[in-house]
Amino acid sequence: MDYSLFDRARRNASPVEIELVEAYAKGQVTRRAFVQRGSVIGLSFAFMGSVIAACGDDDKPTTTSAGGGGAIKQGGTLRVAAQQPAGPLDPVAMADLGTYTPVVTAFEYLVNTVEATLEPMLAESWSPNADGSVWTFKLRSGVKWHDGNPFTAADVVATMDRLSGSNLKAYISEGSTKAIDDLTVEITLSTPDGQFPHQVGPYNPQAVITPKDFVLGTTLDAKPTGTGAFKLVKYDSATGATFEANTDWWGGKPFLDKLEFVFSADLPTMVSGMAGGAVDAIVQFSVIGGDALLNNPDVTVQTIRGAAHRQIWMNCREGDYTDVRVRQAIALGIDRDALIATVLKGKGDLANDHPIAPIYPFFDASQPQRTRDVAKAKQLLKDAGKEGMAANMYFPDLQEIPQLAQVVQSQLKEIGLDITITQETVVDGEEWCKVYDSTVEPAGCDGGMDFGIVDYGPRAVPDVYLVKAYATGEWNSAHYISEPFRAAVKAYQGSLDLDGQKAAIKDIQRIANEDVPYAIPYFYNSLIAHKKNVAGIHATGLGHFYCGKAGFTS
């Protein structure tokens, strides 16, 4: 090791930064984990590169292939098949993949995420105080809104205040964000959170930064604006949206002249449009029904391995599922290996009834994997007095979920459950959470049915799952309350070091697996596709389809 270079690299670092640097130097964390964690607490890539060089490791971080080959040409219109929005283009209230796509094409975040590593977006740098309770963001200068007005700290403050009553209410309150100057904001959290920058990035979609004069309920189509690479010029919720290139984009003039999103309410239409040449790309598709793309020599398919999953929720507050033995029986009745083989065609990872995916650096691989046990499931149902129980399972018409519902229905029949399945359209299906502002504990998501399947897209860290689906009521369709679980989440969020996060996550995995408010059978790979002559697309698998550096190669 070059100790002189190492000492210079850490000389001006904070105690939190020094702790991470020393852990890496001692071999306690991998290079990948060092880069991921360092990006969260605000270490620059130059700084991390100097530390890696000092420690004798010159591996370069990997990035997701953008596809295509050759130089990108200037000009052209990229036609993209996308899911039809289920609601208004409301940056704060949006809650589905179809709505995310057009909204995040116009608006941007403070930070960007590439393979769980944070990068600058509207913020050029960020850093925490000693315990992670206060985060300071230095904003990018020279950024303009699409109408020509300058982007400033006042826009960030107003956005955070709007989100304090909804998307970020578990983290901040109104007035928590203050402008230090025109290009610096300070965010004081309700409790320390060592992962907070992820909450103002793409994997928390509603955290897009909107202008200071927006109010709750303002929609993008009613007031087109943004700081992104493309400007909204035409929108029809049934057919599609047209965006023109923003030549004043801070990231440089885009190669493309236009983006055209072609909406559809069903996957077969999107896949056939892509296979037939009606569109140049598709935001997301599943292996079920996607053979025309997976086996097409003219199409490039990108696979994004992540934490995206399906939650089979069960009402823990009232009804048939209040007895944990019923929930455990259902979890034991599911054949996870068979689901991955048949529903995902192998493109996924086993899940263990908790939302911590194997891709996370703090994942506890020592936890025993739950496997199918029909006899034990039957006994649990008998002990709970629920033999032969009938139930209705609701699910959306989205990607592979209808096939998942059918297979689960068949598997649970073998443990003695009579399951009726009810499919809803993505646009209308809200049986998982009809009332978002309930005052009944856990306050928030309420009014839905007792049993069903809901989709959760990929996240670079599991905070959204843990906080919104388990620890609070905002998306808690299971109405699950567990003080030990909430305490473990608080311990995880308050940890600025990987060891502390691992200890808390171990408890989180155990409690969720034992209580089973949600049966989670697998983590699925997100699939996107585009023509061979298209390059430069950066997709997250959560509706983001960034094309600021994309275009045609021939």
Side-chain angles (χ1 to χ4, degrees):
M1 178 190 295
D2 183 344
Y3 286 99
S4 62
L5 182 58
F6 177 75
D7 287 338
R8 289 197 302 273
R10 68 174 192 165
R11 185 169 298 147
N12 296 318
S14 68
V16 171
E17 295 166 343
I18 290 174
E19 184 176 29
L20 178 63
V21 170
E22 290 183 342
Y24 175 68
K26 294 175 182 177
Q28 296 172 344
V29 297
T30 65
R31 182 199 54 77
R32 180 178 177 83
F34 171 66
V35 172
Q36 289 179 351
R37 186 64 197 150
S39 71
V40 174
I41 63 176
L43 294 181
S44 70
F45 285 99
F47 178 87
M48 289 188 285
S50 66
V51 172
I52 291 171
C55 294
D57 183 348
D58 60 357
D59 279 350
K60 301 296 188 296
T62 58
T63 57
T64 302
S65 169
I72 298 177
K73 297 181 178 181
Q74 192 70 45
T77 298
L78 187 72
R79 300 162 300 168
V80 182
Q83 180 182 309
Q84 182 182 355
L89 301 188
D90 185 333
V92 174
M94 61 180 181
D96 72 289
L97 189 79
T99 310
Y100 294 166
T101 301
V103 170
V104 302
T105 297
F107 294 114
E108 296 177 306
Y109 300 89
L110 289 179
V111 304
N112 190 21
T113 306
V114 179
E115 291 196 341
T117 299
L118 295 184
E119 296 182 348
M121 202 171 210
L122 291 177
E124 289 187 320
S125 65
W126 50 93
S127 60
N129 65 348
D131 68 352
S133 62
V134 180
W135 289 80
T136 301
F137 293 82
K138 298 288 187 180
L139 306 180
R140 189 182 298 276
S141 63
V143 178
K144 295 180 181 179
W145 293 102
H146 291 164
D147 61 6
N149 287 321
F151 160 74
T152 70
D155 299 306
V156 178
V157 171
T159 298
M160 294 297 113
D161 281 347
R162 282 189 287 274
L163 294 173
S164 69
S166 55
N167 180 265
L168 291 177
K169 67 182 179 181
Y171 301 89
I172 59 175
S173 57
E174 187 171 359
S176 294
T177 305
K178 299 187 182 301
I180 305 305
D181 56 44
D182 281 350
L183 294 177
T184 308
V185 294
E186 183 180 89
I187 303 178
T188 300
L189 308 183
S190 303
T191 58
D193 189 342
Q195 302 273 44
F196 179 71
H198 279 292
Q199 301 308 315
V200 289
Y203 285 101
N204 185 19
Q206 294 85 353
V208 288
I209 303 301
T210 50
K212 60 185 178 183
D213 61 352
F214 264 43
V215 296
L216 289 174
T218 302
T219 62
L220 172 63
D221 50 309
K223 194 170 184 178
T225 187
T227 56
F230 293 91
K231 305 177 181 181
L232 179 65
V233 294
K234 183 180 179 182
Y235 176 72
D236 184 292
S237 61
T239 60
T242 301
F243 290 80
E244 291 182 349
N246 175 17
T247 56
D248 289 329
W249 182 44
W250 59 265
K253 180 182 178 181
F255 291 106
L256 294 167
D257 296 324
K258 289 183 180 181
L259 277 178
E260 287 187 358
F261 290 106
V262 181
F263 296 151
S264 177
D266 64 275
L267 180 63
T269 299
M270 289 190 280
V271 170
S272 62
M274 179 73 203
V279 294
D280 307 298
I282 183 170
V283 171
Q284 194 176 129
F285 71 100
S286 60
V287 292
I288 298 294
D291 289 347
L293 302 182
L294 292 169
N295 304 315
N296 191 326
D298 299 320
V299 172
T300 295
V301 175
Q302 292 184 40
T303 300
I304 305 173
R305 184 177 179 232
H309 60 275
R310 311 306 188 189
Q311 290 184 356
I312 302 175
W313 85 81
M314 293 167 277
N315 189 343
C316 301
R317 192 173 63 201
E318 60 248 342
D320 289 327
Y321 308 95
T322 55
D323 191 321
V324 69
R325 293 172 295 186
V326 175
R327 305 196 298 271
Q328 290 174 346
I330 287 172
L332 286 167
I334 295 172
D335 188 334
R336 298 152 202 272
D337 290 306
L339 287 175
I340 291 177
T342 59
V343 178
L344 298 184
K345 304 286 182 68
K347 294 186 180 297
D349 296 298
L350 278 173
N352 204 15
D353 301 322
H354 60 71
I356 310 300
I359 63 161
Y360 293 135
F362 34 67
F363 170 74
D364 179 19
S366 69
Q367 181 185 46
Q369 173 65 50
R370 177 171 277 140
T371 58
R372 195 177 198 220
D373 190 330
V374 173
K376 186 175 181 179
K378 287 182 175 180
Q379 186 62 50
L380 285 170
L381 289 175
K382 181 178 180 180
D383 293 344
K386 296 294 182 180
E387 290 178 288
M389 185 180 83
N392 200 332
M393 181 167 67
Y394 292 82
F395 64 93
D397 180 13
L398 178 65
Q399 297 182 25
E400 91 293 351
I401 294 181
Q403 289 74 32
L404 170 62
Q406 291 168 11
V407 177
V408 168
Q409 177 192 39
S410 176
Q411 292 178 348
L412 294 184
K413 185 176 181 180
E414 295 181 39
I415 68 170
L417 294 183
D418 179 17
I419 305 295
T420 299
I421 57 176
T422 301
Q423 177 174 299
E424 302 176 296
T425 65
V426 173
V427 174
D428 296 330
E430 286 295 334
E431 295 299 346
W432 72 285
C433 183
K434 280 188 173 181
V435 181
Y436 287 86
D437 58 355
S438 168
T439 58
V440 180
E441 179 70 8
C445 183
D446 206 352
M449 296 299 175
D450 288 348
F451 186 42
I453 304 173
V454 63
D455 61 299
Y456 275 83
R459 297 297 199 279
V461 290
D463 297 50
V464 167
Y465 313 137
L466 299 178
V467 173
K468 296 189 176 184
Y470 286 82
T472 74
E474 188 172 354
W475 292 346
N476 192 341
S477 52
H479 314 311
Y480 174 63
I481 300 175
S482 168
E483 294 307 325
F485 189 91
R486 290 177 177 179
V489 171
K490 187 175 181 179
Y492 155 73
Q493 291 184 305
S495 298
L496 288 174
D497 63 278
L498 194 57
D499 285 343
Q501 292 172 347
K502 285 182 177 179
I505 288 294
K506 185 181 184 74
D507 288 337
I508 285 170
Q509 291 184 195
R510 175 185 54 79
I511 296 169
N513 177 269
E514 291 174 356
D515 290 353
V516 207
Y518 306 95
I520 303 178
Y522 55 68
F523 298 100
Y524 66 90
N525 297 158
S526 298
L527 305 177
I528 71 165
H530 53 75
K531 290 182 177 178
K532 291 286 188 182
N533 67 333
V534 173
I537 295 171
H538 170 57
T540 65
L542 195 58
H544 304 83
F545 215 68
Y546 290 130
C547 297
K549 302 295 183 182
F552 296 96
T553 58
S554 62

